[in-house]
Amino acid sequence: MKSNIPVTSLQRLPVYLNYLKTLGGDVKFISSGAIARALGMGEVLVRKDLAYTSAQGRTRVGYVLSELIAALEDYLGCNDIKNAAIIGAGGLGRALLSYGGFGNYGIELVAGFDNDSSKIGGDVAGKPILDIADLDKGIRELGVTLAVICVPVKYAQSVADRLVECGVKAILNFAPALLNVPEGCTVRNIDVAANLAVLYSMS
Amino acid sequence: MKSNIPVTSLQRLPVYLNYLKTLGGDVKFISSGAIARALGMGEVLVRKDLAYTSAQGRTRVGYVLSELIAALEDYLGCNDIKNAAIIGAGGLGRALLSYGGFGNYGIELVAGFDNDSSKIGGDVAGKPILDIADLDKGIRELGVTLAVICVPVKYAQSVADRLVECGVKAILNFAPALLNVPEGCTVRNIDVAANLAVLYSMS
């Protein structure tokens, strides 16, 4: 879809968007240099990244702030509603179901799935917890295209396989396993403990 | 500390370690080719990455599994106990305090910090929740060198500043902000919603 943009640039676009949204109502224009200074990045890089969007910088004044925000939101699909599900309603899954930040990116959490009968039929922050035995049916009926995996590691790959079969396009995986998915689906593995250990090794 | 290894290689070492630990007791030897196939990676890359550790592959048989695991654990500092704290004991913070996977990397969660008086003085999974007003004192007294930030975005940078002042070396940040830290501390920002949006854009 956005095949012309390097992944590293794409990953920085939400960073710009978050920063720009923090700016007060008095700010009408912003230059790539000001963004770069605020975020501790190089100005050329910022300008290159923003050039992938439809935003047009103007000589001397920079970007119109509202236009730049709109261009980033458009590029990141924030205005296209996408349904997402959280697989595994343990501590992490429940925390994510309660997290309000998905809406900023047009992501609507529609359900959680779990295999615990004491959780099934209940809800977290208004999102129903459905039986993971009905995962395939639920994902299809709810039109889920994004999923976050928060199940124990031994179930993670089989859950991912089922999600892909049901047409899920993007998976964020918190189980400490490297999940393999076929082309047409993208996965990112976030092993929190490993991340922290690696950061420590780098310091 | 591990300045000779590329960050991308370092980030893959926990992936190898996790995979190797799943292998049953019958497996005594493993080749870089077998690891590469299992993880869907290139063999040359695997061999290069493992060469940063003290593990020695042997012609024909590959690595002794137990030696390779020990070398990876040694390189990642899994045998050096490091104290960590979770800042912010909301849903995500509490989920992380309950997560058992940190011990695999020698990371011991010693406390959570929060500003909510109904939480302060209590505990989550046996870890005390301390008053964030006493963050500096607590971090120093407990010898915390790693921290995970799970506070609302508007507090994230000031919390990070205080952590750095107290000698914290590595910060994993779940608040949707790009935190700036000085040299001597490393930070990784994980914005879950943005990650999911970016993955979707890539698919």
Side-chain angles (χ1 to χ4, degrees), chain A residues 46 67 73 89 101 115 129 149 164 169 185 197:
Chain A
V46 172
E67 287 179 14
E73 288 184 334
N115 66 353
I129 307 301
I149 292 181
V164 170
K169 296 290 172 214
C185 181

Side-chain angles (χ1 to χ4, degrees), chain A residues 2 10 14-15 18 82 91-92 95 101 105 145-146 169 171-172 176 186 188 191 193-196 199-203, chain B residues 2 10 14 18 82 91-92 95 101 105 146 169 171 176 178 186 188 191-196 199-203:
Chain A
K2 313 286 191 191
L10 183 58
V15 173
N18 280 336
K82 303 163 285 287
L92 179 60
Y105 294 95
T145 51
L146 288 79
K169 296 290 172 214
I171 296 172
L172 202 57
T186 50
R188 182 162 182 197
D191 182 334
N195 264 291
L196 203 50
L199 282 177
Y200 189 78
S201 294
M202 286 163 63
S203 71
Chain B
K2 314 285 192 191
L10 183 59
N18 280 336
K82 302 163 285 286
L92 179 60
Y105 294 95
L146 290 79
K169 295 289 172 214
I171 296 173
L178 193 74
T186 51
R188 183 164 181 196
D191 181 336
V192 176
N195 264 291
L196 203 50
L199 282 177
Y200 189 79
S201 294
M202 287 164 62
S203 69

